[in-house]
CSV table of all heavy atoms in Angstrom, one decimal:
chain,number,residue,atom,x,y,z
K,70,MET,N,-7.5,-4.9,-15.8
K,70,MET,CA,-8.2,-5.1,-14.5
K,70,MET,C,-7.7,-6.4,-13.9
K,70,MET,O,-7.5,-7.5,-14.5
K,70,MET,CB,-9.7,-5.3,-14.6
K,70,MET,CG,-10.4,-3.9,-15.1
K,70,MET,SD,-10.3,-2.7,-13.9
K,70,MET,CE,-12.0,-2.5,-13.4
K,71,LYS,N,-7.6,-6.4,-12.5
K,71,LYS,CA,-7.1,-7.6,-11.8
K,71,LYS,C,-8.2,-8.1,-11.1
K,71,LYS,O,-9.2,-7.3,-10.7
K,71,LYS,CB,-6.1,-7.2,-10.8
K,71,LYS,CG,-4.8,-6.7,-11.4
K,71,LYS,CD,-3.7,-6.4,-10.4
K,71,LYS,CE,-2.5,-5.9,-10.9
K,71,LYS,NZ,-1.5,-5.5,-9.9
K,72,SER,N,-8.3,-9.4,-10.7
K,72,SER,CA,-9.4,-10.1,-10.0
K,72,SER,C,-9.0,-10.2,-8.5
K,72,SER,O,-7.8,-10.6,-8.3
K,72,SER,CB,-9.6,-11.5,-10.5
K,72,SER,OG,-10.2,-11.3,-11.8
K,73,TYR,N,-9.9,-9.7,-7.7
K,73,TYR,CA,-9.6,-9.8,-6.2
K,73,TYR,C,-10.7,-10.5,-5.5
K,73,TYR,O,-11.9,-10.6,-6.1
K,73,TYR,CB,-9.6,-8.3,-5.7
K,73,TYR,CG,-8.3,-7.5,-6.1
K,73,TYR,CD1,-8.4,-6.8,-7.3
K,73,TYR,CD2,-7.2,-7.5,-5.4
K,73,TYR,CE1,-7.3,-6.0,-7.7
K,73,TYR,CE2,-6.0,-6.8,-5.8
K,73,TYR,CZ,-6.1,-6.1,-6.9
K,73,TYR,OH,-5.1,-5.3,-7.4
K,74,ARG,N,-10.5,-10.8,-4.3
K,74,ARG,CA,-11.6,-11.5,-3.5
K,74,ARG,C,-11.4,-11.0,-2.0
K,74,ARG,O,-10.3,-10.9,-1.5
K,74,ARG,CB,-11.5,-13.0,-3.5
K,74,ARG,CG,-12.7,-13.6,-2.9
K,74,ARG,CD,-12.6,-15.2,-3.2
K,74,ARG,NE,-13.0,-15.5,-4.5
K,74,ARG,CZ,-14.2,-15.6,-5.0
K,74,ARG,NH1,-15.3,-15.5,-4.2
K,74,ARG,NH2,-14.4,-15.9,-6.3
K,75,ILE,N,-12.5,-10.6,-1.4
K,75,ILE,CA,-12.5,-10.2,0.0
K,75,ILE,C,-13.2,-11.3,0.8
K,75,ILE,O,-14.2,-11.8,0.4
K,75,ILE,CB,-13.2,-8.8,0.2
K,75,ILE,CG1,-13.0,-8.4,1.7
K,75,ILE,CG2,-14.6,-8.9,-0.2
K,75,ILE,CD1,-13.4,-7.0,2.0
K,76,TYR,N,-12.5,-11.6,2.0
K,76,TYR,CA,-13.0,-12.7,2.8
K,76,TYR,C,-13.2,-12.1,4.2
K,76,TYR,O,-12.3,-11.3,4.7
K,76,TYR,CB,-12.0,-13.9,3.0
K,76,TYR,CG,-11.8,-14.6,1.7
K,76,TYR,CD1,-10.8,-14.3,0.8
K,76,TYR,CD2,-12.7,-15.7,1.4
K,76,TYR,CE1,-10.5,-15.1,-0.2
K,76,TYR,CE2,-12.4,-16.4,0.2
K,76,TYR,CZ,-11.4,-16.2,-0.6
K,76,TYR,OH,-11.2,-16.8,-1.8
K,77,ILE,N,-14.2,-12.5,4.9
K,77,ILE,CA,-14.4,-12.1,6.3
K,77,ILE,C,-13.6,-13.2,7.1
K,77,ILE,O,-13.7,-14.3,6.8
K,77,ILE,CB,-15.9,-12.2,6.7
K,77,ILE,CG1,-16.7,-11.2,5.9
K,77,ILE,CG2,-16.1,-11.9,8.2
K,77,ILE,CD1,-16.3,-9.7,5.9
K,78,VAL,N,-12.9,-12.8,8.2
K,78,VAL,CA,-12.2,-13.6,9.0
K,78,VAL,C,-13.2,-14.0,10.2
K,78,VAL,O,-13.5,-13.1,11.0
K,78,VAL,CB,-10.9,-13.1,9.5
K,78,VAL,CG1,-10.1,-14.1,10.5
K,78,VAL,CG2,-10.0,-12.6,8.4
K,79,GLY,N,-13.5,-15.3,10.3
K,79,GLY,CA,-14.4,-15.7,11.4
K,79,GLY,C,-13.7,-15.7,12.7
K,79,GLY,O,-12.4,-15.6,12.8
K,80,SER,N,-14.5,-15.9,13.8
K,80,SER,CA,-13.9,-15.8,15.2
K,80,SER,C,-12.9,-17.0,15.3
K,80,SER,O,-12.0,-17.0,16.2
K,80,SER,CB,-15.0,-15.9,16.2
K,80,SER,OG,-15.8,-17.0,16.0
K,81,ASP,N,-13.0,-18.0,14.5
K,81,ASP,CA,-12.2,-19.2,14.6
K,81,ASP,C,-10.9,-19.0,13.7
K,81,ASP,O,-10.1,-19.9,13.6
K,81,ASP,CB,-12.8,-20.4,14.2
K,81,ASP,CG,-13.4,-20.4,12.8
K,81,ASP,OD1,-13.3,-19.4,12.1
K,81,ASP,OD2,-14.1,-21.4,12.3
K,82,GLY,N,-10.8,-17.8,13.1
K,82,GLY,CA,-9.6,-17.5,12.2
K,82,GLY,C,-9.8,-18.0,10.8
K,82,GLY,O,-8.9,-17.7,10.0
K,83,ARG,N,-10.8,-18.7,10.5
K,83,ARG,CA,-11.0,-19.2,9.1
K,83,ARG,C,-11.7,-18.2,8.3
K,83,ARG,O,-12.4,-17.3,8.7
K,83,ARG,CB,-11.9,-20.4,9.1
K,83,ARG,CG,-11.3,-21.6,9.8
K,83,ARG,CD,-12.2,-22.8,9.8
K,83,ARG,NE,-11.7,-23.9,10.6
K,83,ARG,CZ,-12.0,-25.1,10.4
K,83,ARG,NH1,-12.8,-25.5,9.4
K,83,ARG,NH2,-11.5,-26.0,11.2
K,84,LEU,N,-11.3,-18.2,7.0
K,84,LEU,CA,-11.9,-17.2,6.0
K,84,LEU,C,-13.2,-17.7,5.6
K,84,LEU,O,-13.5,-18.8,5.3
K,84,LEU,CB,-10.9,-17.1,4.8
K,84,LEU,CG,-9.5,-16.7,5.1
K,84,LEU,CD1,-8.7,-16.6,3.8
K,84,LEU,CD2,-9.5,-15.3,5.8
K,85,GLN,N,-14.2,-16.7,5.5
K,85,GLN,CA,-15.6,-17.0,5.2
K,85,GLN,C,-16.1,-15.9,4.2
K,85,GLN,O,-15.5,-14.9,4.0
K,85,GLN,CB,-16.5,-16.9,6.4
K,85,GLN,CG,-16.0,-17.7,7.6
K,85,GLN,CD,-16.8,-17.5,8.8
K,85,GLN,OE1,-17.8,-16.8,8.8
K,85,GLN,NE2,-16.3,-18.0,10.0
K,86,LEU,N,-17.2,-16.3,3.5
K,86,LEU,CA,-17.9,-15.2,2.7
K,86,LEU,C,-17.1,-14.6,1.7
K,86,LEU,O,-16.9,-13.3,1.6
K,86,LEU,CB,-18.6,-14.2,3.6
K,86,LEU,CG,-19.6,-14.7,4.6
K,86,LEU,CD1,-20.1,-13.6,5.5
K,86,LEU,CD2,-20.7,-15.5,3.9
K,87,GLY,N,-16.4,-15.3,0.8
K,87,GLY,CA,-15.6,-14.6,-0.3
K,87,GLY,C,-16.4,-13.9,-1.3
K,87,GLY,O,-17.5,-14.5,-1.7
K,88,GLN,N,-16.1,-12.7,-1.6
K,88,GLN,CA,-16.8,-11.9,-2.6
K,88,GLN,C,-15.8,-11.4,-3.7
K,88,GLN,O,-14.8,-10.8,-3.3
K,88,GLN,CB,-17.5,-10.7,-1.9
K,88,GLN,CG,-18.1,-9.8,-2.9
K,88,GLN,CD,-18.7,-8.6,-2.2
K,88,GLN,OE1,-18.8,-8.5,-1.0
K,88,GLN,NE2,-19.2,-7.6,-3.0
K,89,ALA,N,-16.0,-11.8,-4.9
K,89,ALA,CA,-15.1,-11.5,-6.0
K,89,ALA,C,-15.4,-10.1,-6.6
K,89,ALA,O,-16.6,-9.8,-6.7
K,89,ALA,CB,-15.0,-12.5,-7.0
K,90,PHE,N,-14.4,-9.4,-7.1
K,90,PHE,CA,-14.6,-8.2,-7.8
K,90,PHE,C,-13.4,-7.8,-8.5
K,90,PHE,O,-12.2,-8.5,-8.3
K,90,PHE,CB,-15.0,-7.0,-6.9
K,90,PHE,CG,-13.9,-6.6,-5.8
K,90,PHE,CD1,-13.0,-5.7,-6.1
K,90,PHE,CD2,-13.8,-7.3,-4.6
K,90,PHE,CE1,-12.0,-5.3,-5.2
K,90,PHE,CE2,-12.9,-7.0,-3.7
K,90,PHE,CZ,-12.0,-5.9,-3.9
K,91,GLU,N,-13.4,-6.9,-9.4
K,91,GLU,CA,-12.2,-6.5,-10.3
K,91,GLU,C,-11.9,-5.1,-9.9
K,91,GLU,O,-12.7,-4.2,-9.5
K,91,GLU,CB,-12.5,-6.7,-11.7
K,91,GLU,CG,-12.6,-8.1,-12.1
K,91,GLU,CD,-12.7,-8.2,-13.7
K,91,GLU,OE1,-13.0,-7.3,-14.4
K,91,GLU,OE2,-12.5,-9.4,-14.1
K,92,ALA,N,-10.6,-4.8,-10.0
K,92,ALA,CA,-10.1,-3.4,-9.7
K,92,ALA,C,-8.9,-3.2,-10.6
K,92,ALA,O,-8.1,-4.2,-10.9
K,92,ALA,CB,-9.9,-3.2,-8.3
K,93,PRO,N,-8.5,-2.0,-10.9
K,93,PRO,CA,-7.3,-1.7,-11.7
K,93,PRO,C,-6.0,-2.0,-11.0
K,93,PRO,O,-5.0,-2.3,-11.6
K,93,PRO,CB,-7.5,-0.3,-12.2
K,93,PRO,CG,-8.3,0.3,-11.1
K,93,PRO,CD,-9.2,-0.8,-10.7
K,94,ASP,N,-5.9,-1.8,-9.7
K,94,ASP,CA,-4.7,-1.9,-8.9
K,94,ASP,C,-5.1,-2.2,-7.4
K,94,ASP,O,-6.3,-2.1,-7.0
K,94,ASP,CB,-3.8,-0.7,-9.0
K,94,ASP,CG,-4.5,0.6,-8.6
K,94,ASP,OD1,-5.3,0.6,-7.7
K,94,ASP,OD2,-4.2,1.6,-9.3
K,95,ASP,N,-4.0,-2.4,-6.6
K,95,ASP,CA,-4.2,-2.7,-5.2
K,95,ASP,C,-4.9,-1.6,-4.4
K,95,ASP,O,-5.7,-1.8,-3.5
K,95,ASP,CB,-2.9,-3.1,-4.5
K,95,ASP,CG,-2.4,-4.5,-5.0
K,95,ASP,OD1,-3.1,-5.1,-5.7
K,95,ASP,OD2,-1.2,-4.8,-4.6
K,96,LYS,N,-4.5,-0.3,-4.8
K,96,LYS,CA,-5.1,0.8,-4.0
K,96,LYS,C,-6.6,0.9,-4.3
K,96,LYS,O,-7.3,1.1,-3.3
K,96,LYS,CB,-4.4,2.1,-4.5
K,96,LYS,CG,-4.9,3.2,-3.8
K,96,LYS,CD,-4.1,4.5,-4.2
K,96,LYS,CE,-4.4,5.7,-3.3
K,96,LYS,NZ,-5.3,6.7,-3.8
K,97,ALA,N,-7.0,0.8,-5.5
K,97,ALA,CA,-8.5,0.7,-5.8
K,97,ALA,C,-9.1,-0.4,-5.1
K,97,ALA,O,-10.3,-0.3,-4.6
K,97,ALA,CB,-8.7,0.8,-7.3
K,98,ALA,N,-8.5,-1.6,-5.2
K,98,ALA,CA,-9.1,-2.7,-4.5
K,98,ALA,C,-9.2,-2.6,-3.0
K,98,ALA,O,-10.2,-3.0,-2.4
K,98,ALA,CB,-8.2,-4.0,-4.8
K,99,GLY,N,-8.2,-2.0,-2.4
K,99,GLY,CA,-8.3,-1.7,-1.0
K,99,GLY,C,-9.5,-0.8,-0.6
K,99,GLY,O,-10.1,-1.0,0.4
K,100,GLU,N,-9.7,0.3,-1.4
K,100,GLU,CA,-10.9,1.2,-1.2
K,100,GLU,C,-12.1,0.3,-1.4
K,100,GLU,O,-13.1,0.6,-0.6
K,100,GLU,CB,-10.8,2.3,-2.3
K,100,GLU,CG,-9.6,3.2,-1.9
K,100,GLU,CD,-9.4,4.2,-3.1
K,100,GLU,OE1,-10.1,4.2,-4.1
K,100,GLU,OE2,-8.4,5.1,-3.0
K,101,GLN,N,-12.2,-0.5,-2.4
K,101,GLN,CA,-13.4,-1.4,-2.5
K,101,GLN,C,-13.6,-2.3,-1.3
K,101,GLN,O,-14.8,-2.5,-0.9
K,101,GLN,CB,-13.4,-2.1,-3.8
K,101,GLN,CG,-13.6,-1.2,-5.0
K,101,GLN,CD,-13.7,-2.0,-6.4
K,101,GLN,OE1,-13.9,-3.2,-6.4
K,101,GLN,NE2,-13.5,-1.3,-7.4
K,102,ALA,N,-12.5,-2.8,-0.8
K,102,ALA,CA,-12.6,-3.7,0.3
K,102,ALA,C,-13.1,-3.0,1.6
K,102,ALA,O,-13.9,-3.5,2.3
K,102,ALA,CB,-11.2,-4.3,0.5
K,103,GLU,N,-12.7,-1.8,1.7
K,103,GLU,CA,-13.2,-1.0,2.9
K,103,GLU,C,-14.7,-0.8,2.8
K,103,GLU,O,-15.3,-0.9,3.8
K,103,GLU,CB,-12.5,0.4,2.9
K,103,GLU,CG,-11.1,0.4,3.4
K,103,GLU,CD,-10.5,1.8,3.4
K,103,GLU,OE1,-11.0,2.7,2.8
K,103,GLU,OE2,-9.5,2.0,4.1
K,104,ALA,N,-15.2,-0.6,1.6
K,104,ALA,CA,-16.6,-0.3,1.4
K,104,ALA,C,-17.4,-1.7,1.6
K,104,ALA,O,-18.5,-1.6,2.1
K,104,ALA,CB,-16.9,0.2,0.0
K,105,ALA,N,-16.7,-2.7,1.2
K,105,ALA,CA,-17.5,-4.1,1.2
K,105,ALA,C,-17.4,-4.8,2.6
K,105,ALA,O,-18.2,-5.6,2.9
K,105,ALA,CB,-16.9,-5.0,0.2
K,106,ALA,N,-16.3,-4.5,3.5
K,106,ALA,CA,-16.1,-5.1,4.6
K,106,ALA,C,-17.3,-4.9,5.7
K,106,ALA,O,-18.0,-3.8,5.6
K,106,ALA,CB,-14.8,-4.7,5.3
K,107,VAL,N,-17.5,-5.9,6.5
K,107,VAL,CA,-18.5,-5.8,7.5
K,107,VAL,C,-17.9,-5.1,8.7
K,107,VAL,O,-16.8,-5.6,9.3
K,107,VAL,CB,-19.0,-7.3,7.9
K,107,VAL,CG1,-20.0,-7.2,9.0
K,107,VAL,CG2,-19.6,-7.9,6.7
K,108,ARG,N,-18.5,-4.0,9.2
K,108,ARG,CA,-17.9,-3.3,10.4
K,108,ARG,C,-18.0,-4.3,11.6
K,108,ARG,O,-18.9,-5.0,11.8
K,108,ARG,CB,-18.8,-2.1,10.7
K,108,ARG,CG,-18.8,-1.0,9.6
K,108,ARG,CD,-17.3,-0.5,9.4
K,108,ARG,NE,-17.3,0.5,8.3
K,108,ARG,CZ,-16.7,0.4,7.1
K,108,ARG,NH1,-16.0,-0.7,6.9
K,108,ARG,NH2,-16.7,1.4,6.3
K,109,GLY,N,-16.9,-4.3,12.4
K,109,GLY,CA,-16.9,-5.0,13.5
K,109,GLY,C,-16.1,-6.3,13.4
K,109,GLY,O,-15.8,-7.1,14.3
K,110,LEU,N,-15.8,-6.7,12.1
K,110,LEU,CA,-15.1,-7.9,11.8
K,110,LEU,C,-13.9,-7.6,10.9
K,110,LEU,O,-13.8,-6.6,10.2
K,110,LEU,CB,-16.0,-8.8,10.9
K,110,LEU,CG,-17.3,-9.3,11.6
K,110,LEU,CD1,-18.2,-10.1,10.7
K,110,LEU,CD2,-16.9,-10.1,12.9
K,111,VAL,N,-12.8,-8.5,11.0
K,111,VAL,CA,-11.6,-8.4,10.2
K,111,VAL,C,-12.0,-9.0,8.9
K,111,VAL,O,-12.7,-10.0,8.7
K,111,VAL,CB,-10.5,-9.1,10.9
K,111,VAL,CG1,-9.2,-9.1,9.9
K,111,VAL,CG2,-10.1,-8.4,12.2
K,112,ALA,N,-11.4,-8.4,7.8
K,112,ALA,CA,-11.5,-8.9,6.5
K,112,ALA,C,-10.1,-8.9,5.8
K,112,ALA,O,-9.3,-8.2,6.1
K,112,ALA,CB,-12.5,-8.1,5.5
K,113,GLU,N,-10.0,-9.9,4.9
K,113,GLU,CA,-8.7,-10.0,4.2
K,113,GLU,C,-9.0,-9.8,2.7
K,113,GLU,O,-10.0,-10.3,2.2
K,113,GLU,CB,-8.0,-11.4,4.4
K,113,GLU,CG,-7.5,-11.5,5.8
K,113,GLU,CD,-6.7,-12.8,6.0
K,113,GLU,OE1,-6.6,-13.6,5.0
K,113,GLU,OE2,-6.2,-13.0,7.1
K,114,LEU,N,-8.1,-9.1,2.0
K,114,LEU,CA,-8.2,-8.9,0.6
K,114,LEU,C,-7.1,-9.7,-0.1
K,114,LEU,O,-5.9,-9.6,0.2
K,114,LEU,CB,-7.9,-7.4,0.2
K,114,LEU,CG,-8.0,-7.0,-1.2
K,114,LEU,CD1,-9.3,-7.4,-1.8
K,114,LEU,CD2,-7.6,-5.6,-1.3
K,115,TRP,N,-7.5,-10.5,-1.1
K,115,TRP,CA,-6.5,-11.4,-1.8
K,115,TRP,C,-6.7,-11.2,-3.3
K,115,TRP,O,-7.7,-10.9,-3.8
K,115,TRP,CB,-7.0,-12.8,-1.5
K,115,TRP,CG,-6.7,-13.3,-0.1
K,115,TRP,CD1,-7.4,-13.1,1.0
K,115,TRP,CD2,-5.5,-14.0,0.3
K,115,TRP,NE1,-6.8,-13.6,2.1
K,115,TRP,CE2,-5.6,-14.2,1.7
K,115,TRP,CE3,-4.5,-14.6,-0.3
K,115,TRP,CZ2,-4.7,-14.9,2.4
K,115,TRP,CZ3,-3.5,-15.3,0.4
K,115,TRP,CH2,-3.6,-15.5,1.7
K,116,GLU,N,-5.5,-11.4,-3.9
K,116,GLU,CA,-5.5,-11.4,-5.4
K,116,GLU,C,-4.8,-12.7,-5.7
K,116,GLU,O,-3.6,-12.9,-5.5
K,116,GLU,CB,-4.6,-10.3,-6.0
K,116,GLU,CG,-4.6,-10.4,-7.5
K,116,GLU,CD,-3.3,-9.6,-8.1
K,116,GLU,OE1,-2.4,-9.3,-7.5
K,116,GLU,OE2,-3.4,-9.5,-9.4
K,117,GLY,N,-5.6,-13.7,-6.2
K,117,GLY,CA,-5.1,-15.1,-6.4
K,117,GLY,C,-4.5,-15.6,-5.0
K,117,GLY,O,-5.2,-15.6,-4.0
K,118,GLY,N,-3.3,-16.1,-5.0
K,118,GLY,CA,-2.7,-16.6,-3.8
K,118,GLY,C,-2.0,-15.6,-3.0
K,118,GLY,O,-1.2,-15.9,-2.1
K,119,ARG,N,-2.1,-14.2,-3.3
K,119,ARG,CA,-1.3,-13.2,-2.7
K,119,ARG,C,-2.3,-12.4,-1.8
K,119,ARG,O,-3.3,-11.9,-2.3
K,119,ARG,CB,-0.7,-12.3,-3.7
K,119,ARG,CG,0.1,-11.1,-3.1
K,119,ARG,CD,0.7,-10.2,-4.2
K,119,ARG,NE,-0.3,-9.6,-5.0
K,119,ARG,CZ,-0.7,-8.3,-4.8
K,119,ARG,NH1,-0.2,-7.6,-3.8
K,119,ARG,NH2,-1.6,-7.7,-5.6
K,120,MET,N,-2.0,-12.4,-0.5
K,120,MET,CA,-2.8,-11.5,0.4
K,120,MET,C,-2.3,-10.1,0.2
K,120,MET,O,-1.2,-9.7,0.5
K,120,MET,CB,-2.6,-12.0,1.8
K,120,MET,CG,-3.6,-11.1,2.7
K,120,MET,SD,-3.6,-11.7,4.4
K,120,MET,CE,-2.7,-10.4,5.2
K,121,VAL,N,-3.3,-9.2,-0.2
K,121,VAL,CA,-3.0,-7.8,-0.5
K,121,VAL,C,-3.0,-7.0,0.8
K,121,VAL,O,-2.2,-6.1,1.0
K,121,VAL,CB,-4.0,-7.2,-1.4
K,121,VAL,CG1,-3.8,-5.8,-1.8
K,121,VAL,CG2,-4.0,-8.1,-2.8
K,122,GLY,N,-3.9,-7.4,1.7
K,122,GLY,CA,-3.9,-6.6,3.0
K,122,GLY,C,-5.2,-7.0,3.8
K,122,GLY,O,-5.9,-7.9,3.4
K,123,ARG,N,-5.4,-6.2,4.9
K,123,ARG,CA,-6.5,-6.6,5.8
K,123,ARG,C,-7.3,-5.3,6.0
K,123,ARG,O,-6.8,-4.2,6.0
K,123,ARG,CB,-6.1,-7.0,7.2
K,123,ARG,CG,-5.5,-8.4,7.1
K,123,ARG,CD,-5.1,-8.8,8.5
K,123,ARG,NE,-5.1,-10.3,8.6
K,123,ARG,CZ,-5.5,-11.0,9.5
K,123,ARG,NH1,-5.9,-10.4,10.7
K,123,ARG,NH2,-5.5,-12.3,9.5
K,124,VAL,N,-8.6,-5.5,6.3
K,124,VAL,CA,-9.4,-4.4,6.7
K,124,VAL,C,-9.7,-4.6,8.2
K,124,VAL,O,-10.1,-5.7,8.6
K,124,VAL,CB,-10.8,-4.3,5.9
K,124,VAL,CG1,-11.7,-3.2,6.4
K,124,VAL,CG2,-10.5,-4.2,4.4
K,125,THR,N,-9.4,-3.6,9.0
K,125,THR,CA,-9.7,-3.7,10.4
K,125,THR,C,-11.1,-3.7,10.8
K,125,THR,O,-12.0,-3.3,10.0
K,125,THR,CB,-9.1,-2.5,11.2
K,125,THR,OG1,-9.7,-1.3,10.8
K,125,THR,CG2,-7.5,-2.5,10.9
K,126,PRO,N,-11.5,-4.0,12.0
K,126,PRO,CA,-12.9,-4.0,12.5
K,126,PRO,C,-13.5,-2.6,12.3
K,126,PRO,O,-14.7,-2.4,12.2
K,126,PRO,CB,-12.8,-4.4,13.9
K,126,PRO,CG,-11.7,-5.3,14.0
K,126,PRO,CD,-10.6,-4.7,13.0
K,127,ASP,N,-12.6,-1.6,12.4
K,127,ASP,CA,-13.1,-0.2,12.2
K,127,ASP,C,-13.3,0.2,10.8
K,127,ASP,O,-13.6,1.4,10.4
K,127,ASP,CB,-12.1,0.8,12.8
K,127,ASP,CG,-11.9,0.6,14.4
K,127,ASP,OD1,-13.0,0.2,15.0
K,127,ASP,OD2,-10.9,0.9,14.9
K,128,GLY,N,-12.9,-0.7,9.8
K,128,GLY,CA,-13.2,-0.4,8.4
K,128,GLY,C,-12.0,0.2,7.7
K,128,GLY,O,-12.2,0.8,6.6
K,129,VAL,N,-10.8,0.1,8.2
K,129,VAL,CA,-9.6,0.8,7.6
K,129,VAL,C,-8.7,-0.3,7.0
K,129,VAL,O,-8.4,-1.3,7.6
K,129,VAL,CB,-8.8,1.5,8.6
K,129,VAL,CG1,-7.6,2.2,8.1
K,129,VAL,CG2,-9.7,2.6,9.3
K,130,PHE,N,-8.4,-0.1,5.7
K,130,PHE,CA,-7.6,-1.1,5.0
K,130,PHE,C,-6.1,-0.7,5.2
K,130,PHE,O,-5.7,0.4,5.2
K,130,PHE,CB,-7.9,-1.0,3.5
K,130,PHE,CG,-6.9,-1.8,2.6
K,130,PHE,CD1,-7.1,-3.2,2.6
K,130,PHE,CD2,-5.9,-1.3,1.9
K,130,PHE,CE1,-6.4,-4.0,1.8
K,130,PHE,CE2,-5.0,-2.2,1.2
K,130,PHE,CZ,-5.3,-3.5,1.2
K,131,GLY,N,-5.3,-1.8,5.4
K,131,GLY,CA,-3.9,-1.8,5.5
K,131,GLY,C,-3.2,-2.8,4.7
K,131,GLY,O,-3.6,-3.9,4.7
K,132,ALA,N,-2.3,-2.4,3.9
K,132,ALA,CA,-1.6,-3.3,3.0
K,132,ALA,C,-0.7,-4.3,3.7
K,132,ALA,O,-0.1,-3.9,4.8
K,132,ALA,CB,-0.8,-2.5,1.9
K,133,GLY,N,-0.5,-5.3,3.2
K,133,GLY,CA,0.6,-6.2,3.8
K,133,GLY,C,0.0,-7.5,4.3
K,133,GLY,O,-0.9,-8.0,4.6
């Protein structure tokens, strides 16, 4: 299992409200991030210092 963290991106562009969780891989982590993200806000998914991807305000995860 890998450790991930999801952050909400504030209106000022700063990361807020980090929530840690574990997942077996990036795909599973992306699915968990979609479920955990706040609708209407952008969220970023990180594994350590690597940004895995973003969740759009519509709740869709995109890698990269």
